[in-house]
Amino acid sequence: MSRLYIKYQQRFRIFKNIILLISLFVLFNFFSIQIIKSNSYKEQIITKTKSYRHNKGHRGNLYDRNDNLLAYSIQKCLIWINGSNSSSNDKNKIIDLLSSQLDFPKSKYQHILTDNSKYLVIEKDLIVQDHKVLIEKINNIKQVRIDYYNHRLYPYNELAAQLIGFTDYQNQGKYGIEGFFNKILSGSESVVEYNRTASGKTILSQNTSSLPSNGADITLTLDIKIQEILQNQLSEAYSKNKAKSANGIIVNPNNGEILAMASIPDFDLNHYNKLSKDSAQFYYINRPVSSAYEPGSTFKVVCFTDAIDKGLNNKEEKYFCENGFYKGKYIDAFKDHDSGYDSLTFDEVFSNSSNIGTVKIFQDLSMESFYTKIKKFGFGIKTNISLMDEHKGEIKPFQYYKNNIRDLASISIGQSILVTNLQLALAYCSIANGGYMLKPQVIKKINHKNYSDQLQTPTILYRNMDKNTSNIAKHLLEKTVREGTAKKAYLYNLSVGGKTGTAEIWDIDNKEYSKNEFISSFASIFPIDDPKYVMIISIESPMYNKRWGGESAAPCAKDIIEDIMFYDKELINKSRLNAKA
């Protein structure tokens, strides 16, 4: 060994040991990080670079039969901060940014940001598509948070409001189509993984196998143009007659498709929450489906079709109508309006809407036959339309009428029975189409990513009369418009058949029929010689001098038919042919 090595040998040993110790320390830490604490560090990295969100697919759209958009969803957002740990500098940035981008005075946001709440909403209901620049800039301010949510829009506002329904703040369907088909309209929900890049951007993770799917799109049988005609004219009649409510329905009698359905008063679907809580149900109710009432004379067609089936429509035979007052074997007498009638033929009893004449025709029928006919017209059971809160109406078991024949006689003139206008419309459809009871259709098509269901063929339930009975009944309806109680629905250039109804309203408090309040109705088929539309109109509690169906409901129906004639080219052509004839 050299003297130099011996001189520095101790120092070399110390240096070597230091290197060894450092190496061991590094190796130990490396081992600790990679093996012992790997799971802990891995979780920290995942926490900083990965995130999970509950994502939901978009709610499906609603369309009318001509592909007009009735309901769709847009993405909105709200901006919030934790006011308790936000610095003055952050707040000033927010004030300057929102004020400049949204064109509001700074004082608005200065006032809001004086609150130190942990969840402090600064701005809400911002349409994401319209505020992309603002959102991008907000994402650069660490303390600010943005929550996204879907918002439903209804382009036609109040049109078909009760039929369409609406969604609440949780995007859940309420009432109408939105409520009934909420499950298939709603998109699916799933947890989606996101990664954060080095620049701070959030991107979809490659580990995400599938994104949530959107809800189904639904096409209705509704024609928004016909809906607009119906609703506007009902609204005008409601105001003009100072009524409590009005409703109507228009159906294609050849396939059961609902073309229009309206209830007045209506409301704007985009602002449903502005209605006072105590009056909301009055506006939301879909009266043609959910409100049952005693129909009055529009129901007489049931008794007359049964009589036609039995061959009682003798044109020569006359019924003595007792000059307006008839007690017979009943405890309570039947009355005709005004001074009544002396003697009327079968056709005249119908066209002049004599209660006493109708009761006498009922007396020529068997109780079983008439009761069966009521059932065959679909009264007393739900139609099973795809809408919420359908009322089934009310008719008692046949055994009850064996001991209460006066009540069954009352049904022949539309009293002591409850029906909906949907049921009444389908009954008149069977007269229009030759005797076929149809299932009502409100859905034309359902489109989804995984399937498509198109409803084309009508659902025929059964037959309730033969073609001959149907033709005679249509003749009676046409005569009623031409020379009977429905003259105010007459059109010189289009054949219309119809029946007026003036229904008494039961006074629950006094347990008797009201002397002042009535439901004015009109049931119509047009064109009567080649039916394309069936329409029921009801006006609740119009002015007393407008209580008769022929004074308020029939003129309203006439206005609706005239407006439809200008819209429907087929009717325009038919009206021209009739005018030439």
Side-chain angles (χ1 to χ4, degrees), residues 307-519:
I308 295 166
D309 283 345
K310 304 300 184 293
L312 300 179
N313 54 314
N314 189 326
K315 291 186 178 182
E316 305 301 323
E317 184 179 351
K318 289 195 173 184
Y319 293 87
F320 179 45
C321 296
E322 310 283 346
N323 295 307
F325 186 90
Y326 175 60
K327 188 169 185 181
K329 60 183 176 180
Y330 307 107
I331 296 173
D332 297 317
F334 287 98
K335 299 176 184 178
D336 273 333
H337 50 80
D338 299 329
S339 58
Y341 305 95
D342 183 6
S343 294
L344 298 172
T345 64
F346 184 88
D347 289 12
E348 290 170 340
V349 169
F350 188 84
S351 61
N352 289 288
S353 202
S354 168
N355 289 337
I356 293 170
T358 303
V359 169
K360 289 201 169 184
I361 291 171
F362 158 77
Q363 290 174 172
D364 289 341
L365 303 169
S366 73
M367 292 175 63
E368 292 89 348
S369 172
F370 179 56
Y371 186 84
T372 300
K373 181 62 82 172
I374 295 169
K375 287 289 191 178
K376 283 195 171 183
F377 269 104
F379 297 108
I381 58 172
K382 290 184 178 182
T383 69
N384 288 323
I385 191 171
S386 301
L387 290 170
M388 300 179 73
D389 303 323
E390 182 183 5
H391 198 300
K392 70 174 184 177
E394 185 178 306
I395 180 173
K396 293 180 173 63
F398 180 67
Q399 191 62 37
Y400 168 84
Y401 297 111
K402 283 185 175 180
N403 303 316
N404 297 274
I405 190 171
R406 173 54 164 83
D407 284 356
L408 194 60
S410 295
I411 291 177
S412 72
I413 61 172
Q415 296 178 347
S416 301
I417 186 172
L418 296 179
V419 308
T420 65
N421 274 344
L422 173 62
Q423 291 173 326
L424 198 60
L426 294 171
Y428 274 81
C429 281
S430 69
I431 296 170
N433 65 30
Y436 297 97
M437 282 298 294
L438 303 173
K439 186 181 186 302
Q441 304 288 351
V442 72
I443 303 301
K444 192 84 174 168
K445 184 169 56 177
I446 298 176
N447 271 336
H448 192 266
K449 181 175 93 172
N450 300 323
Y451 63 87
S452 181
D453 189 5
Q454 191 152 352
L455 309 175
Q456 293 282 12
T457 56
T459 302
I460 298 173
L461 302 176
Y462 50 82
R463 197 163 192 181
N464 62 4
M465 72 185 83
D466 61 29
K467 195 165 184 66
N468 180 60
T469 298
S470 165
N471 288 335
I472 294 172
K474 284 188 283 187
H475 165 75
L476 292 176
L477 292 167
E478 184 180 19
K479 186 175 181 180
T480 302
V481 172
R482 193 173 63 249
E483 53 191 67
T485 59
K487 288 178 184 175
K488 291 189 177 181
Y490 176 76
L491 290 165
Y492 79 93
N493 55 351
L494 189 73
S495 59
V496 177
K499 184 73 190 76
T500 56
T502 305
E504 297 174 302
I505 297 177
W506 184 255
D507 188 331
I508 297 175
D509 295 331
N510 296 319
K511 295 182 179 179
E512 63 179 5
Y513 285 106
S514 172
K515 302 293 190 298
N516 302 309
E517 294 195 335
F518 301 83
I519 295 178

Side-chain angles (χ1 to χ4, degrees), residues 13 44 69 88 95 117 169 172 201 236 265 269-270 367 422 425 431 477 497 504 528 549 567:
R13 286 177 181 171
Q44 290 181 39
L69 191 57
S88 298
I95 291 168
S117 301
Y169 280 116
Q172 294 300 300
K201 289 185 178 180
E236 187 172 332
L269 287 168
N270 295 299
M367 292 175 63
L422 173 62
I431 296 170
L477 292 167
E504 297 174 302
I528 193 68
Y567 168 66

